[in-house]
Amino acid sequence: MSAVVLGYVPNALGDAAAKAAVAEARQRGATLVVVNTTRADRLVDPAYADDEDMSRLQDTLRTSGVDFTVHHGTSKDTAAEDVLEAAVRHAAELIVIGLRHRTPVGKLIMGSTAQSILLGAACNVLAVKP
């Protein structure tokens, strides 16, 4: 069975990406693989979902009718590396991520998880805006 990997963050970007990922998984008859991780050395990461966020997402996914698995926890790698690794491990057809607006200066100064996924993916990437 094929897979669609969702790089999930607990905000409007993540909700938009989750909605698109469910639609893609349903259309492809694929398993949805949700990835939400943070580096173990980070004390606070707004992109890392808490238990309530993950419970809400899993309730939504259960009602969607698609098969899904969730990878949620700390990692020694970056979130982008974890998403890319999940895509390889599950032979994903597609990675779905949320994409936020960034200024040109912000793009120069800050690294980007989305950019790392876009450049490192061996499969197609669907970038969704809310």
Side-chain angles (χ1 to χ4, degrees):
M1 178 179 258
S2 61
V4 171
V5 172
L6 167 64
Y8 180 74
V9 292
N11 58 29
L13 295 173
D15 292 341
K19 184 176 179 180
V22 166
E24 289 290 335
R26 185 177 295 131
Q27 182 178 7
R28 297 165 188 261
T31 297
L32 179 60
V33 179
V34 179
V35 179
N36 177 261
T37 62
T38 188
R39 287 181 52 147
D41 60 352
R42 291 191 173 184
L43 297 176
V44 177
D45 182 355
Y48 186 63
D50 61 22
D51 291 342
E52 184 176 324
D53 294 325
M54 292 309 295
S55 178
R56 181 179 54 84
L57 175 64
Q58 290 182 29
D59 287 346
T60 300
L61 295 177
R62 280 186 198 98
T63 61
S64 73
V66 298
D67 291 329
F68 69 95
T69 61
V70 174
H71 299 279
H72 180 243
T74 59
S75 172
K76 63 176 179 38
D77 299 321
T78 66
E81 291 169 331
D82 288 340
V83 168
L84 292 171
E85 192 276 327
V88 169
R89 186 169 7 105
H90 293 278
E93 296 179 28
L94 181 70
I95 298 171
V96 181
I97 57 173
L99 194 62
R100 64 184 164 95
H101 175 77
R102 295 178 63 194
T103 65
V105 173
K107 291 176 186 173
L108 288 173
I109 296 172
M110 301 286 287
S112 167
T113 300
Q115 183 177 3
S116 297
I117 292 170
L118 288 167
L119 294 175
C123 62
N124 291 328
V125 178
L126 175 61
V128 178
K129 289 186 175 182

